Amino acid sequence: MNSDIIIIGAGPGGYETALYAAKKGLSVTLFEERRAGGTCLQEGCIPTKCFCRSAEVADTVADSQTMGIITSAPTVDMARIVARKNEVVDQLTAGIEFLLKNKLITYVPERAELLDAHSVKSASGETYTARHMLIATGSTAKIPPIEGSGLPGVVTSTQLLDIDHVPARLCIVGAGVIGLEFASIFRSLGSAVTMLEFAKEILPNFDTDISKRLKQVLGKRGIEFFNQAGVKSIEPNGPALTVRYTWKNQEHTVEADTVLIATGRAPRVEGLGLDRVGIHYSPKGIETDDNLQTNVPDIYAIGDVNGRCMLAHAASFQGRKVIDHLLGEKSNIDLHIIPSAVFTRPEAGMVGLTEEECKQRGIAFTAKKSLFRANGKAVSMGEPDGLCKLIADENGRIIGGHIFGAHAADLVQEVSALMNRGTTIAQLKEMIHAHPTLSEVLQECAREF
């Protein structure tokens, strides 16, 4: 079978690119060995947000007395939480599969392997050809070489999403986005949570002001942090587990019922036939240029597999950029402005440069902050913990936005939109914001300049 483009992988990057290509009149053959939706829908963004919502409800009920609502203490039904998560995933998966019933899209629910620059072989042995290839195979959980990481009770985020109980004691190795979200979730559901992070700060890629304050607030919620901690081994201890780690030049242990390994993701490159075709790649992912093109003409790679930015929305827009490039159409997509968020309680969000990055690159900048505790909506919501930080270059143009607090993930999108249009701090000051809203923290921050 011949088509204009073959896409390997039906995650957000793959299936959204397929739909966009078909809308542009291109014929597509789309391969997926698992379920449509990829990591994001099946074991990442969407399932964890289901858990986040359950945790938020548990917190709301537990805190209801402060709002004048008297209730009994909440009881957590983990089986029902998981069942609801599965219902949401199934509903959205069915929706994607329905969209893929497009006359220009041939959906093949099988694994595909590259034969050459223009053809692949499916798991069932059929050969498919196309003028262009797009690799969008995503990533897998990265497991460090820790002795005992294969023991029962030691899980990845995928396995934790199907757990049938709330662990009394949860130890999380890695305080990045994945680790922190699960720490916040299971603390709300009743777990005692200990986090072991090798780096100096949590959320190493976030602005230090945000990561430090988020750590402080999560610590007040009872999550215990050990930064610059090196995990040495995990050992069975009856029905429990003992995690051995070094911290401040001494060996320590922590007992846990479940240990989550949350040390990041690795590009899914195995078994694709990259070596056969001569595609350049490394442990960081498939090498691509600014058009997401590999060193082999007509083969592109998007999303987690190229290691540029492991976010679902980054993959989707990289795919759009590829199709625009293939069709010779001008694209205004700026892949340097990609917002990201951490759905802890409170949330954290960022876009653009951090203060540390500006210093490293020698960029002249000004940074100012505003606090949620001065925002009427935040205080009335009972969510006064929060910080907004804006960074502007020497011309006053906004080059970075960093927020932690209620609905930070939504608020940072306004900063992203402003940055995409080259907005200055002076212009933001003059944009009327509704009152009372959380978004006023952005305008108040601008007024600090």
Side-chain angles (χ1 to χ4, degrees):
M1 180 179 291
N2 186 56
S3 57
D4 291 317
I5 184 168
I6 285 174
I7 301 176
I8 305 175
Y15 83 77
E16 289 198 21
T17 303
L19 293 169
Y20 184 65
K23 188 175 181 179
K24 293 284 189 176
L26 299 177
S27 59
V28 182
T29 303
L30 176 65
F31 291 87
E32 175 54 62
E33 62 177 323
R34 301 179 297 167
R35 299 178 73 192
T39 296
C40 174
L41 175 53
Q42 305 300 332
E43 56 195 51
C45 319
I46 301 304
T48 54
K49 299 306 102 53
C50 290
F51 274 30
C52 283
R53 177 57 179 156
S54 294
E56 181 184 18
V57 171
D59 285 336
T60 299
V61 175
D63 296 341
S64 62
Q65 223 170 351
T66 63
M67 298 294 173
I69 309 298
I70 310 303
T71 64
S72 58
T75 299
V76 176
D77 184 344
M78 201 65 211
R80 181 64 195 120
I81 289 174
V82 171
R84 176 181 173 274
K85 177 264 297 184
N86 291 338
E87 290 167 5
V88 170
V89 170
D90 289 344
Q91 177 184 338
L92 293 175
T93 301
I96 292 170
E97 291 173 344
F98 175 78
L99 291 174
L100 293 177
K101 292 178 180 178
N102 184 301
K103 63 181 181 180
L104 288 176
I105 299 174
T106 301
Y107 180 53
V108 184
E110 297 181 29
R111 182 179 181 83
E113 182 179 344
L114 294 166
L115 293 177
D116 54 47
H118 296 280
S119 63
V120 302
K121 180 175 69 175
S122 70
S124 60
E126 294 229 17
T127 299
Y128 297 78
T129 60
R131 287 188 294 163
H132 309 285
M133 298 280 189
L134 179 63
I135 302 170
T137 47
S139 62
T140 58
K142 186 189 298 181
I143 306 297
I146 298 172
E147 182 183 348
S149 59
L151 289 170
V154 181
V155 300
T156 64
S157 57
T158 301
Q159 295 160 327
L160 193 58
L161 284 166
D162 285 322
I163 196 167
D164 60 4
H165 64 284
V166 176
R169 299 167 299 177
L170 175 64
C171 177
I172 300 178
V173 181
V177 174
I178 297 171
L180 285 170
E181 288 190 354
F182 278 109
S184 183
I185 289 165
F186 279 92
R187 182 69 193 116
S188 296
L189 298 180
S191 296
V193 180
T194 302
M195 302 204 75
L196 306 176
E197 168 58 50
F198 187 76
K200 185 178 180 181
E201 299 291 344
I202 68 171
L203 289 178
N205 295 327
F206 271 61
D207 190 275
T208 302
D209 275 333
I210 300 299
S211 60
K212 283 183 176 178
R213 288 175 184 259
L214 180 59
K215 179 182 175 182
Q216 184 180 42
V217 173
L218 293 178
K220 289 179 180 178
R221 289 184 53 200
I223 297 172
E224 194 169 16
F225 289 93
F226 294 92
N227 284 82
Q228 295 181 297
V231 177
K232 298 302 179 184
S233 66
I234 305 171
E235 303 166 2
N237 183 5
L241 297 161
T242 297
V243 182
R244 296 190 180 277
Y245 64 98
T246 55
W247 183 63
K248 293 186 175 180
N249 298 317
Q250 293 185 342
E251 185 173 288
H252 300 265
T253 62
V254 59
E255 305 299 314
D257 301 292
T258 300
V259 176
L260 168 65
I261 304 295
T263 50
R265 310 272 308 172
R268 191 189 298 270
V269 296
E270 297 79 9
L272 288 174
L274 301 182
D275 293 322
R276 179 186 300 119
V277 182
I279 294 175
H280 294 167
Y281 69 99
S282 72
K284 293 182 179 180
I286 295 174
E287 297 175 13
T288 59
D289 63 16
D290 289 341
N291 292 312
L292 295 314
Q293 193 167 19
T294 71
N295 63 295
V296 177
D298 294 323
I299 300 183
Y300 297 75
I302 63 169
D304 288 8
V305 76
N306 68 27
R308 284 172 167 249
C309 181
M310 289 191 171
L311 295 170
H313 45 286
S316 299
F317 278 87
Q318 286 177 9
R320 282 177 171 262
K321 195 172 182 71
V322 167
I323 299 304
D324 289 343
H325 180 253
L326 292 181
L327 295 174
E329 296 181 0
K330 182 181 178 181
S331 173
N332 293 315
I333 296 170
D334 189 341
L335 294 177
H336 296 99
I337 303 176
I338 302 177
S340 62
V342 188
F343 293 88
T344 46
R345 182 172 179 255
E347 297 175 355
M350 68 165 287
V351 63
L353 298 175
T354 65
E355 191 169 336
E356 294 78 13
E357 287 173 328
C358 288
K359 292 175 181 176
Q360 290 168 4
R361 300 183 188 186
I363 297 173
F365 72 95
T366 304
K368 297 293 182 180
K369 307 169 190 174
S370 62
L371 300 176
F372 273 52
R373 71 169 66 101
N375 178 273
K377 181 65 179 294
V379 175
S380 66
M381 290 170 62
E383 300 279 0
D385 289 318
L387 167 74
C388 172
K389 180 177 183 178
L390 293 177
I391 300 175
D393 64 15
E394 57 187 349
N395 297 314
R397 187 171 56 93
I398 301 169
I399 58 173
H402 309 275
I403 306 172
F404 107 89
H407 298 283
D410 300 313
L411 293 173
V412 81
Q413 184 56 46
E414 179 179 342
V415 185
S416 179
L418 294 173
M419 287 176 59
N420 270 283
R421 290 296 172 260
T423 307
T424 65
I425 290 293
Q427 290 171 324
L428 173 55
K429 289 179 184 179
E430 296 176 344
M431 295 178 182
I432 299 173
H433 285 60
H435 174 78
T437 61
L438 292 174
S439 65
E440 289 176 288
V441 298
L442 296 170
Q443 195 165 61
E444 287 303 321
C445 189
R447 288 171 179 167
E448 293 295 321
F449 282 81

